[in-house]
């Protein structure tokens, strides 16, 4: 990517008075002081929306598949820790159980998320004042998560049932879940999923985007791939830790099957605290933070690399194909 710079146009001393120069320097200083909330967005051009949508779908799908494949065993351990009641033992066999079926859902879900997130983010950044860029990132993250949830939830239900040894294959899991619990069985825990994922998506992408903006303005250049990965890891790990209790609730509701041990989100929380104590809401926090931290590093690293690769292949935009400060 090209360098990200903050520059004041330089002209001969005869062309500008000292007052004008001082004014420009003050404006530059003010902009740098608010770098976590200020971005600059180029004017919208024809077909920008379609190009952004396409690039988001390709980049999101690629990043999602790479992360899921690399980190699936850690996710399996996390799920088994959260599903275990009391002092239940954790089985370390079959850590890739359900991967193929999960990838069939992760690919479209990640593509849908970025396909919604990127255009929504750019539209909001153009519509909102510069100092509200965080609101744009939060809102776009929530919108992307909501759109992807219709694919994510059935994928998550099947994946977690297989991770806990209830089924041997994804087709078998789908068939038996639907026959025993009806089609709604594929969406069990949908409310708790949204309770976890909408805040997670909004917070993670907001932290990531704001840190990148701050880094660019402080360094006066664009981030390289290792730096994107480090920022992504920090954003993922922090968000993963904050949302662990929501993840525990979601896991318990999704793996209970037809036993209906919990009547809903509130009952699930009350039952867990009563029977296992409040610390049980933090079960799996270690693997979750590790998984999402490493996952954030891989995901955002692959995401930015893929977006840059795609941008450089738009012939009409070779001069301006670099992603702007808000990305």
């Amino acid at each position: 990517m090209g360098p990200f710079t903050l520059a004041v146009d330089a002209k001969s001393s005869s062309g500008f008075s000292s007052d004008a120069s001082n004014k420009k320097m003050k404006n530059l200083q003010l902009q740098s002081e608010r770098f976590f909330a200020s971005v600059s967005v180029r004017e919208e051009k024809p077909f920008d929306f379609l190009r952004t949508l396409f690039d988001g779908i390709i980049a999101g799908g690629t990043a999602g598949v790479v992360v899921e494949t690399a980190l699936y065993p850690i996710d399996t351990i996390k799920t088994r820790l959260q599903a275990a009641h009391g002092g239940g033992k954790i089985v370390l066999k079959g850590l890739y159980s359900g991967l193929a079926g999960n990838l069939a859902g992760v690919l479209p879900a990640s593509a849908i998320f970025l396909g919604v997130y990127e255009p929504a983010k750019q539209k909001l950044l153009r519509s909102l004042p510069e100092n509200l860029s965080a609101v744009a990132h939060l809102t776009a993250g929530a919108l992307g998560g909501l759109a992807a949830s219709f694919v994510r939830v059935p994928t998550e239900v099947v994946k977690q049932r297989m991770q806990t040894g209830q089924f041997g294959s994804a087709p078998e899991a789908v068939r038996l879940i639907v026959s025993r619990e009806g089609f709604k069985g594929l969406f069990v825990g949908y409310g708790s999923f949204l309770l976890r994922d909408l805040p997670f998506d909004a917070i993670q992408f907001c932290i990531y985007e704001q840190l990148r903006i701050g880094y660019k303005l402080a360094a006066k250049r664009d981030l390289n791939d290792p730096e994107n990965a480090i920022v992504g890891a920090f954003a993922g790990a922090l968000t993963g830790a904050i949302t662990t209790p929501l993840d525990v609730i979601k896991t318990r509701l999704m793996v209970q099957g037809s036993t209906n041990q919990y009547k809903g989100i509130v009952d699930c929380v009350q039952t867990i605290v009563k029977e296992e104590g409040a610390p049980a809401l933090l079960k799996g926090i270690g693997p979750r933070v590790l998984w999402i931290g490493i996952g954030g590093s891989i995901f955002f690293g692959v995401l930015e690399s893929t977006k840059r690769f795609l941008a450089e292949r738009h012939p009409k935009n070779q001069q301006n194909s670099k992603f702007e400060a808000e990305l």
Side-chain angles (χ1 to χ4, degrees), residues 74 152 187 204 228 245 271:
I74 300 177
R152 280 178 174 176
F187 287 87
Q204 182 185 32
N228 282 322
T271 302

Side-chain angles (χ1 to χ4, degrees), residues 96-137:
Y96 272 99
S97 177
L99 174 61
N102 192 52
L103 290 180
V106 167
L107 177 58
S110 299
I112 290 171
F113 178 88
L114 265 295
V116 172
Y117 174 79
E118 289 291 349
K121 177 186 72 174
Q122 293 196 21
K123 189 66 177 177
L124 287 167
L125 287 172
R126 290 185 177 96
S127 303
L128 296 173
E130 288 185 358
N131 61 351
L132 293 181
S133 66
V135 175
H137 296 140

Side-chain angles (χ1 to χ4, degrees), residues 10-323:
K11 296 192 177 182
S12 63
S13 58
S14 61
F16 283 94
S17 67
S18 59
D19 289 341
S21 298
N22 290 336
K23 185 177 180 180
K24 282 201 169 189
M25 292 304 296
K26 287 180 180 179
N27 289 338
L28 177 59
Q29 183 179 11
L30 178 61
Q31 184 178 359
S32 64
E33 288 175 352
R34 61 180 188 179
F35 60 83
F36 277 104
S38 179
V39 296
S40 101
V41 185
R42 77 178 186 274
E43 231 174 279
E44 192 168 5
K45 298 177 181 179
F47 307 111
D48 263 10
F49 172 81
L50 293 178
R51 180 180 67 79
T52 303
L53 175 65
F54 175 79
D55 288 359
I57 289 173
I58 299 300
T62 301
V65 168
V66 171
V67 170
E68 197 67 22
T69 302
L71 302 180
Y72 196 79
I74 300 177
D75 184 37
T76 299
I77 294 172
K78 183 268 304 180
T79 297
R80 291 175 181 175
L81 282 169
Q82 292 179 343
H85 295 265
K89 295 182 179 180
I90 306 301
V91 179
L92 296 180
K93 293 181 179 181
L95 296 182
Y96 272 99
S97 177
L99 174 61
N102 192 52
L103 290 180
V106 167
L107 177 58
S110 299
I112 290 171
F113 178 88
L114 265 295
V116 172
Y117 174 79
E118 289 291 349
K121 177 186 72 174
Q122 293 196 21
K123 189 66 177 177
L124 287 167
L125 287 172
R126 290 185 177 96
S127 303
L128 296 173
E130 288 185 358
N131 61 351
L132 293 181
S133 66
V135 175
H137 296 140
L138 283 167
T139 305
L143 290 174
L146 182 62
S149 68
F150 296 103
V151 177
R152 280 178 174 176
V153 173
T155 301
E156 190 83 354
V157 170
V158 171
K159 178 190 77 173
Q160 294 196 329
R161 299 283 182 90
M162 292 184 66
Q163 286 176 331
T164 53
Q166 297 182 35
F167 303 106
S169 69
E172 177 194 9
V174 173
R175 180 174 59 82
L176 292 178
I177 289 172
V178 172
S179 65
R180 294 172 183 173
E181 306 168 44
F183 185 75
K184 66 180 182 180
L186 293 173
F187 287 87
V188 65
Y190 184 76
S192 62
F193 185 91
L194 292 183
L195 181 66
R196 181 202 70 173
D197 269 42
L198 292 192
F200 179 90
D201 290 330
I203 294 170
Q204 182 185 32
F205 273 78
C206 181
I207 292 174
Y208 173 73
E209 300 277 18
Q210 293 291 303
L211 285 176
R212 288 189 76 233
I213 292 170
Y215 196 118
K216 286 179 177 182
L217 288 168
K220 297 184 179 181
R221 62 173 176 81
D222 211 339
L223 279 68
N224 56 39
D225 289 341
E227 290 167 337
N228 282 322
I230 291 172
V231 173
F234 179 81
L238 179 60
T239 311
I242 293 172
T243 58
T244 294
L246 302 177
D247 190 47
V248 171
I249 297 167
K250 184 266 313 174
T251 297
R252 291 293 182 90
L253 289 172
M254 283 187 168
V255 302
Q256 67 177 335
S258 57
T259 60
N260 292 323
Q261 180 182 1
Y262 308 110
K263 297 177 181 178
I265 295 174
V266 175
D267 180 62
C268 181
V269 174
Q270 292 175 340
T271 302
I272 291 173
V273 173
K274 180 180 178 181
E275 296 180 356
E276 305 171 56
L281 292 172
L282 294 177
K283 277 190 173 184
I285 188 172
R288 178 171 168 79
V289 169
L290 176 64
W291 166 54
I292 297 178
I294 298 174
S297 174
I298 298 172
F299 181 87
F300 287 110
V302 172
L303 179 68
E304 297 300 337
S305 297
T306 306
K307 288 198 300 184
R308 184 175 67 250
F309 174 83
L310 292 170
E312 289 170 351
R313 268 137 189 84
H314 294 290
K316 293 183 180 180
N317 294 309
Q318 288 294 333
Q319 297 294 327
N320 298 310
S321 62
K322 310 302 181 184
F323 282 86

